[in-house]
């Protein structure tokens, strides 16, 4: 029976097959996240975090990718837009694992980078981002649940294993 279903499916015109797949398969939004460390800080290091509305918790520079945008380009763009930190996309390293699938329907591509905090000004717009700052990994502020989850995957923050 399964074989018959596949044969029938592959006989359909390509546009129809694509429409059928889009109706059946879950859809995911793809975002890019930048985990930026202070290159001058001694162990355990410092991390760039942002406080965004409503402003109760802190998170990482992140956002959705634009259509056909490479993930590392999106991570660098979001980092610059949200914090004023400008890095060339080639200065960001894909984290391992590079993709984090969230249960609520999006995938984050994670990138790591470093800048010297003492000479890197932080600039926020006050609308999308209320505040940006450097925080010791040993004394992080209250994190958003997604930020705690992502950092934990890379051995940082309250969920580090």
């Amino acid at each position: 029976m399964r074989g018959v279903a596949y044969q029938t499916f592959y006989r359909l015109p390509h546009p129809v097959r694509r429409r059928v797949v889009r109706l059946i398969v879950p859809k995911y939004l793809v975002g890019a996240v930048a985990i930026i460390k202070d290159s001058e800080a001694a162990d355990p290091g410092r991390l760039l975090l942002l406080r965004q509305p409503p402003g109760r918790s802190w998170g990482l520079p992140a956002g959705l990718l634009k259509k056909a945008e490479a993930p590392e380009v999106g991570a660098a763009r979001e980092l610059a837009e949200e914090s004023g930190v400008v890095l060339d996309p080639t200065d960001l390293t894909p984290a391992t694992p590079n993709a984090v699938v969230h249960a609520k329907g999006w995938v984050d591509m994670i990138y790591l980078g470093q800048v010297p905090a003492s000479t890197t000004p932080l600039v926020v717009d006050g609308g999308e981002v209320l505040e940006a700052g450097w925080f010791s990994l040993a004394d992080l502020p209250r994190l958003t649940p997604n930020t705690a989850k992502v950092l934990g995957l890379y051995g940082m923050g309250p969920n580090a294993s």
Side-chain angles (χ1 to χ4, degrees):
M1 184 65 162
R2 186 174 169 188
V4 172
Y6 274 113
Q7 288 175 6
T8 303
F9 175 77
Y10 283 109
R11 286 188 182 126
L12 295 171
H14 186 267
V16 174
R17 287 195 321 247
R18 185 162 57 190
R19 184 170 296 257
V20 168
V21 168
R22 289 187 179 201
L23 288 172
I24 297 171
V25 175
K27 294 171 180 64
Y28 289 94
L29 298 172
V30 180
V33 178
I35 298 175
I36 305 299
K37 288 186 174 182
D38 177 1
S39 62
E40 302 167 320
D43 273 343
R46 293 192 322 159
L47 197 61
L48 173 63
L49 295 173
L50 310 174
R51 190 170 61 85
Q52 297 177 290
R56 294 184 199 97
S57 303
W58 291 77
L60 296 164
L64 295 176
L65 296 179
K66 294 180 178 179
K67 186 174 183 174
E69 182 177 43
E72 63 276 12
V73 172
R77 176 183 52 77
E78 288 292 339
L79 175 64
E81 288 175 1
E82 295 181 349
S83 70
V85 175
V86 177
L87 279 178
D88 189 276
T90 60
D91 292 332
L92 293 171
T93 305
T96 304
N98 183 228
V100 175
V101 179
H102 297 275
K104 292 191 177 179
W106 78 93
V107 177
D108 279 329
M109 305 299 293
I110 313 296
Y111 289 87
L112 307 173
Q114 293 187 8
V115 296
S118 67
T119 58
T120 304
L122 300 178
V123 180
V124 299
D125 64 12
E128 182 181 0
V129 177
L130 302 173
E131 188 177 3
W134 295 99
F135 295 89
S136 169
L137 284 165
D139 189 27
L140 292 173
R142 179 179 172 190
L143 301 173
T144 66
N146 288 329
T147 297
K149 175 186 175 183
V150 168
L151 289 178
L153 290 172
Y154 303 104
M156 297 178 267
N159 297 344
S161 52

